[in-house]
Amino acid sequence: MTHALPLLQVALDNHSLSDAYRTTRLIAPEVDIIEVGTILCVAEGVRAVRDLKALYPEKIVLADAKIADAGQILARMCFEAHADWITVICCADINTAKGALAVAKEYGGDVQIELTGFWTWEQAAAWRDAGIRQVVYHRSRDAQAAGAAWSDADINAVRRLADMGFNVTVTGGLALEDLPLFQGIPVHVFIAGRSIRDAADPVAAARQFKRTIQQLWGQEGTCCTAQSR
Ligand code: 5RP
């Protein structure tokens, strides 16, 4: 399916499912994609994926497992728990991505390559050649905490990945004020975790993300360049 507007994904980087439910009870209707964050995956395992998909079957549920090895085994665990999408970290061997993608196809799901830390354009070409259609451009949480701001290099890289035909997700401490930086680029998904979860009014925060996306991308009619599922 193609989308006229970037989708909104909430990242659940909670330490427990009960805590995650405090957010989803409020904002599930406001978002397109529910992410079982890496922190929640570690805290609760694939049960978190299974339970969230059971509660919200109409939503895309992403398991942010950041798989680094054993691609087929870990992908199968996530898809058996009814994940729609999973992530493989960019430093993984290409065969990890290929293995995860092969399993994803069995289940009608998809694989995103998580671009956190070092990666190269040669790798990007190899992912594309391997049939990967989605990447996540990620300003690392720890790099952000150490002071890394969004830079021209980031914006140019997101644009170049989109030009290569990838459906590009953008994430990493995203605030509402960051969205205009990406205007004019056919971003597939914006992820907001703390900006929604920790807001005084999470519903208002999610709605404001949606409104701003509509304002910035609605006029352009930009859409994604590759199939998303
Ligand atoms: C951390 C992640 C987060 O899920 C992602 O960065 C979104 O969360 P936030 O908006 O709070 O940074 O992948 O590894």
Side-chain angles (χ1 to χ4, degrees):
M1 70 190 159
T2 52
H3 307 283
L5 292 173
L7 301 174
L8 180 61
Q9 174 170 329
V10 66
L12 300 173
D13 281 300
N14 305 82
H15 293 241
S16 70
L17 259 176
S18 55
D19 194 36
Y21 292 149
R22 267 193 270 275
T23 299
T24 57
R25 265 188 220 110
L26 291 172
I27 59 87
E30 313 297 336
V31 301
D32 305 293
I33 304 166
I34 294 175
E35 170 190 328
V36 183
T38 312
I39 294 169
L40 186 57
C41 283
V42 171
E44 297 273 13
V46 290
R47 176 172 85 101
V49 177
R50 186 176 292 108
D51 290 3
L52 280 160
K53 186 65 184 181
L55 277 171
Y56 304 106
E58 73 286 3
K59 301 291 173 185
I60 295 170
V61 171
L62 177 131
D64 189 17
K66 294 188 174 72
I67 294 170
D69 201 1
Q72 294 199 33
I73 294 169
L74 293 172
R76 194 171 298 284
M77 288 167 71
C78 293
F79 287 118
E80 279 180 355
H82 303 136
D84 295 293
W85 297 347
I86 63 168
T87 57
V88 168
I89 193 76
C90 55
C91 61
D93 190 89
I94 188 68
N95 291 297
T96 301
K98 285 180 180 172
L101 186 61
V103 176
K105 283 182 178 164
E106 280 180 41
Y107 289 83
D110 207 3
V111 171
Q112 300 178 325
I113 302 293
E114 259 275 335
L115 305 178
T116 309
F118 182 77
W119 56 276
T120 67
W121 290 105
E122 287 73 19
Q123 281 179 287
W127 295 322
R128 194 186 49 186
D129 292 348
I132 295 285
R133 298 174 306 185
Q134 296 200 57
V135 295
V136 182
Y137 194 89
H138 189 178
R139 176 176 59 160
S140 132
R141 185 178 173 124
D142 296 335
Q144 182 203 357
W150 291 107
S151 66
D152 285 348
D154 293 319
I155 311 306
N156 291 336
V158 170
R159 185 178 291 109
R160 184 167 165 186
L161 288 161
D163 287 347
M164 285 178 75
F166 287 113
N167 282 342
V168 186
T169 290
V170 175
T171 189
L174 264 189
L176 206 55
E177 308 79 72
D178 296 324
L179 295 184
L181 295 171
F182 301 93
Q183 193 178 12
I185 304 174
V187 171
H188 181 211
V189 180
F190 284 110
I191 308 177
R194 289 162 289 175
S195 295
I196 291 179
R197 289 197 323 275
D198 299 346
D201 184 343
V203 174
R207 287 183 182 166
Q208 190 57 55
F209 265 95
K210 278 282 194 186
R211 256 197 305 276
T212 304
I213 288 170
Q214 171 67 45
Q215 283 161 4
L216 294 173
W217 276 267
Q219 307 297 321
E220 301 174 352
T222 52
C223 74
C224 304
T225 49
Q227 288 269 305
S228 63
R229 286 189 78 184

